[in-house]
Amino acid sequence: MSNEAELRISPVGLDATGHKVLQVVLALLGDEDGIRCALLDADDASGHLVIVDMDSQQGRSVFPGLSSGQVKLLLGGPPASGRNIVSLAKPVHVNALRDMLLKICRRMQVQLDASLHDLKAPAAAPMPATDDTAPAAAPDLLTILSNARREGSVLALAIDGDELVLVNGATRAFAALREGAEERLFAVGPEQLACRQIDEADFESRTHGRTLGALDNLLWQCAVHAEPDRLPAGIGDETPVRLKAWPNFTRQGFRNDYFRIAAALARQPASCAQLVETTGLDRRSVVGFITACNAVGLLVALPPEGADPEKVTPLHKAATPERRGLLARLAQRLGLAQA
Amino acid sequence: MNGMAQEKIIFTGPVGAGKTSAIAAISDVPPVRTDVACRGEERAIKDTTTVAMDYSYIQLDDGRRVHLYGTPGQARFDFMWELLTRNGLGLVLLINNDHPEPLRQLDFYLDAFADFIRQTGVVIGVTRMGIADRARLDDYQARLFERGQVYPVFEIDGRSGDDVRILVQALLAVLTI
Amino acid sequence: MDVIEEIFRDQQAAGETAVAVSEEGSRVLRARLEQILDGLREDCGDVTGAIVSGVDGMAWAQRLPAGFDQNRFAAMSSALLALSDNLVKEAGEGSPRKVLIEGEGGNVFLMHAGDQLLLTIFTRADSNLGMSLAHANHAVEQIARLMAKCDD
């Protein structure tokens, strides 16, 4: 990942065994989890993460002087708590230390990489407002909804003066005023679509007693329905993208092709072109998936080196060919489509 | 086919998440169960609980079987988790949203099965959503994001064969990509 | 027997209906179960340890050697006995009586003791199996009788 900084670790007061365990764990983190850390000298307590043996004289004397910004992992000693402090009981085993460091590194990486808030923040790249050849054309539904989500605006959407759907970008909710209203919106072209700003009180009173849906659901369905043949602005065919979270597929939105693309992206960031290759699906599916994920803020576009497999953390190993055969039969047996 | 080459999918999760029902919903024969009467606090959640395993299978058209195992939910049975996951294909983790701290349960089971998940793959099904909305699917996504893990997560009714098939479908996508 | 009367007295005093639910009742019950386990060890020198657990894998009373984790042994016993029950029933062999495990360094017996409980006993490798089993059966009867009284 582009801004992934190397994590520096200070070992303080560790005995020979402690050092050995730590070195094994760091090797495992590097080889199997793809997390590279730099181990500082024993007397250098300046690391991002300081591992302190609280049963040692050195550990106890250094600990109070550490900065509150440093993450402290305490081994042994009495249970301690506080900001940026975690402790691990002795004896410290490789697996326990590895799991703990994995969690800490991920958390720290998350801090560097993107905040939790960012997960729910709007997509980085705005939707293409218009087609290049028709600069004056009206914005399409996907653009209107994406803008409402990003700007937090409240809108009424109508066809031929008949208001069908109310959208609240601030609360990320929408309400259909008629049965099948969403489908009617999806079906018409931008020129037939009208939208006007309404105020929140208006939205409240007109949706009172109606079922509110999640705006992201509407956006997702809209993006899927639009079957775009062009990627969103800011994402090229070769731009690696990272999936922040597995999309919230609604019941009507379960699609095996999307499962496969999501599974590929969950494994490692990839570009549209790479996804077409690894999944064997047609480009239209991949573009649709990227558009939908981008619309609901689940994608991060990375600089080209972001897709370097060396730099990502594979979450699990690939199945053997024999297992693939068995899994394909299982899918068939359960009546599941397998492309 | 000997016992070593057994292909199996493991269903796990806390007490009351619907593991036994989920297996029953997609298997060819009614599951073998080892459920006994609950006592104490667990009694408030359900009447009976699995103490060793649930077991059933799906027969494939080439005669092979994919075995389905359900683990006991309580941590005191963690020795069964280790036994049952050995050589497994993948994990279906069911989380009961009608629990005071469902996200803590998510953390607990993902940590407990971390090694197995690293070797294979996992799909998460959130059951009993809507009964109490302590956490929404967004919250599960956010927690997984915090953990640095992009795992499939779905809201499901564990008694519905269609819903459980969706979980298996996503698990297969993860395992075969 | 007087212990049971004590339980009933406590119960009536507290106006309660279920024995095991009352904390005092559980304490007394556990003490009585421990007495039964102590009696078993006195009567049969080959027994090195014993534990009474619920069918749901919770430990109720134990006389285990130092270093044995009662919670794990309770959970493993209930899992093993539940599986064995299934095996015997599926094979059409009726209701299960007991599970005997011969280890290199010792034996383990698992037995139901009434509907709710089970008894796990550890004996020496060179012990007289028949004798140990007879004593184990006696302990199971005592536990079952105790529980039947509690359920009344």
Side-chain angles (χ1 to χ4, degrees):
Chain A
M1 291 161 220
S2 57
N3 47 1
E4 190 177 335
E6 193 177 44
L7 195 68
R8 286 180 295 124
I9 298 182
S10 300
V12 174
L14 268 59
D15 58 15
T17 318
H19 265 289
K20 228 170 262 171
V21 169
L22 181 58
Q23 272 162 357
V24 170
V25 168
L26 292 183
L28 281 172
L29 284 179
D31 293 347
E32 295 193 11
D33 303 312
I35 293 178
R36 313 238 167 258
C37 304
L39 188 59
L40 302 181
D41 291 336
D43 51 356
D44 179 358
S46 70
H48 298 111
L49 168 66
V50 190
I51 301 179
V52 190
D53 187 331
M54 292 304 276
D55 293 336
S56 73
Q57 190 61 47
Q58 196 199 355
R60 279 194 299 271
S61 64
V62 168
F63 173 62
L66 295 171
S67 134
S68 67
Q70 290 174 294
V71 175
K72 274 103 29 192
L73 172 57
L74 310 183
L75 308 181
S81 63
R83 186 166 170 263
N84 280 338
I85 297 176
V86 273
S87 42
L88 204 56
K90 281 189 175 179
V92 177
H93 294 299
V94 168
N95 275 341
L97 185 61
R98 177 185 177 182
D99 285 347
M100 181 65 88
L101 285 185
L102 203 54
K103 266 190 233 164
I104 294 172
C105 293
R106 290 239 165 89
R107 288 266 153 91
M108 294 178 86
Q109 192 182 314
V110 164
Q111 279 173 5
L112 294 167
D113 200 22
S115 68
L116 173 58
H117 178 73
D118 185 41
L119 176 64
K120 300 192 175 186
M127 294 292 127
T130 53
D131 194 283
D132 291 342
T133 54
D140 60 18
L141 182 60
L142 190 58
T143 308
I144 293 171
L145 294 176
S146 299
N147 288 344
R149 185 184 190 274
R150 190 173 58 247
E151 291 155 11
S153 47
V154 187
L155 304 172
L157 300 169
I159 298 174
D160 298 335
D162 183 11
E163 291 191 336
L164 295 172
V165 169
L166 303 184
V167 168
N168 189 338
T171 58
R172 301 265 165 88
F174 80 96
L177 301 177
R178 304 230 194 304
E179 186 122 345
E182 300 96 317
E183 285 72 19
R184 284 178 61 191
L185 287 181
F186 299 154
V188 300
E191 61 289 342
Q192 283 173 270
L193 205 61
C195 87
R196 67 176 182 97
Q197 296 262 359
I198 57 174
D199 56 33
E200 287 222 45
D202 207 8
F203 181 89
E204 285 302 316
S205 65
R206 292 182 64 191
T207 56
H208 184 75
R210 290 182 189 279
T211 313
L212 289 180
L215 178 55
D216 281 356
N217 271 352
L218 187 64
L219 259 169
W220 180 273
Q221 286 180 53
C222 174
V224 170
H225 210 276
E227 294 199 322
D229 53 9
R230 293 195 324 167
L231 287 163
I235 299 178
D237 232 31
E238 307 292 336
T239 310
V241 293
R242 185 162 66 88
L243 188 62
K244 289 186 188 175
W246 189 267
N248 182 351
F249 292 102
T250 56
R251 271 157 207 277
Q252 55 271 39
F254 294 136
R255 283 179 54 160
N256 196 48
D257 53 346
Y258 282 3
F259 286 0
R260 286 161 55 83
I261 302 167
L265 275 178
R267 185 172 283 273
Q268 62 186 59
S271 67
C272 176
Q274 288 169 324
L275 287 170
V276 170
E277 201 187 314
T278 52
T279 61
L281 295 165
D282 61 59
R283 188 170 178 281
R284 190 170 276 271
S285 280
V286 177
V287 172
F289 180 83
I290 290 178
T291 305
C293 285
N294 187 60
V296 296
L298 286 180
L299 278 194
V300 188
L302 303 174
E305 70 270 19
D308 182 353
E310 295 271 329
K311 284 200 162 185
V312 300
T313 309
L315 290 173
H316 44 72
K317 293 178 182 167
T320 61
E322 299 92 277
R323 281 211 161 159
R324 276 164 193 274
L326 179 100
L327 294 171
R329 278 181 194 277
L330 176 60
Q332 198 183 21
R333 171 67 182 73
L334 287 172
L336 307 174
Q338 196 84 352
Chain B
M1 174 130 313
N2 64 32
M4 295 297 286
Q6 202 184 59
E7 304 287 4
K8 56 186 178 180
I9 294 175
I10 291 82
F11 288 68
T12 194
V15 179
K19 302 176 287 292
T20 308
S21 312
I23 290 176
I26 59 165
S27 61
D28 290 356
V29 295
V32 173
R33 301 175 180 200
T34 52
D35 45 1
V36 301
C38 288
R39 296 182 62 87
E41 286 169 27
E42 289 156 12
R43 180 96 213 200
I45 304 172
K46 56 197 289 226
D47 292 337
T48 64
T49 191
T50 301
V51 291
M53 65 176 81
D54 293 318
Y55 165 76
S56 195
Y57 61 84
I58 295 169
Q59 181 122 21
L60 303 180
D61 55 8
D62 63 355
R64 281 188 294 176
R65 283 179 178 180
V66 173
H67 306 269
L68 309 173
Y69 284 91
T71 74
Q74 302 89 336
R76 64 178 179 274
F77 290 107
D78 59 358
F79 59 93
M80 287 306 297
W81 300 352
E82 157 67 22
L83 284 173
L84 292 175
T85 52
R86 230 172 263 167
N87 291 321
L89 285 170
L91 187 69
V92 176
L93 170 57
L94 299 177
I95 297 289
N96 174 5
N97 200 52
D98 189 24
H99 177 279
E101 292 180 288
L103 297 176
R104 201 180 266 259
Q105 301 245 325
L106 177 73
D107 279 337
F108 177 80
Y109 286 90
L110 287 178
D111 291 343
F113 287 87
D115 284 342
F116 181 60
I117 293 171
R118 254 199 294 270
Q119 299 297 320
T120 58
V122 66
V123 58
I124 299 154
V126 182
T127 62
R128 304 199 187 202
M129 211 130 188
I131 295 175
D133 290 314
R134 291 192 177 93
R136 298 173 311 134
L137 209 58
D138 283 359
D139 299 317
Y140 288 86
Q141 288 177 314
R143 176 60 62 97
L144 289 166
F145 178 70
E146 243 184 287
R147 296 174 57 94
Q149 294 166 330
V150 183
Y151 293 147
V153 53
F154 295 93
E155 174 196 340
I156 67 147
D157 176 345
R159 297 159 302 180
S160 149
D162 284 345
D163 282 13
V164 180
R165 270 189 283 274
I166 291 292
L167 288 184
V168 175
Q169 191 170 9
L171 180 64
L172 295 182
V174 167
L175 296 177
T176 49
I177 277 298
Chain C
M1 296 305 115
D2 47 343
V3 179
I4 293 301
E5 281 164 21
E6 231 179 277
I7 296 174
F8 284 138
R9 266 206 309 280
D10 288 347
Q11 208 186 323
Q12 279 158 2
E16 285 176 357
T17 48
V19 177
V21 172
S22 114
E23 209 173 287
E24 175 65 8
S26 303
R27 195 188 59 75
V28 174
L29 187 58
R30 190 173 63 240
R32 183 71 190 99
L33 288 170
E34 283 168 356
Q35 276 177 17
I36 294 174
L37 298 184
D38 285 337
L40 171 68
R41 290 206 305 180
E42 274 166 34
D43 295 347
C44 181
D46 287 335
V47 172
T48 55
I51 178 168
V52 176
S53 22
V55 288
D56 61 350
M58 300 292 272
W60 279 50
Q62 53 99 4
R63 284 292 183 255
L64 292 170
F68 279 42
D69 178 346
Q70 59 165 335
N71 296 317
R72 285 185 73 77
F73 279 97
M76 285 194 270
S77 298
S78 75
L80 195 53
L81 194 56
L83 262 190
S84 310
D85 289 357
N86 274 6
L87 184 70
V88 173
K89 280 180 191 151
E90 296 238 342
E93 311 285 356
S95 285
R97 291 218 178 116
K98 53 181 68 78
V99 178
L100 309 183
I101 303 165
E102 255 184 76
E104 281 178 8
N107 305 314
V108 186
F109 308 155
L110 298 165
M111 279 163 284
H112 284 285
D115 294 341
Q116 296 182 52
L117 301 184
L118 52 108
L119 173 65
T120 309
I121 294 175
F122 301 84
T123 68
R124 280 181 240 291
D126 54 0
S127 62
N128 181 331
L129 262 189
M131 201 63 137
S132 305
L133 276 175
H135 287 295
N137 283 336
H138 180 60
V140 160
E141 279 164 27
Q142 286 178 292
I143 295 169
R145 263 206 306 277
L146 176 71
M147 294 309 289
K149 287 218 168 122
C150 291
D151 285 345
D152 283 344

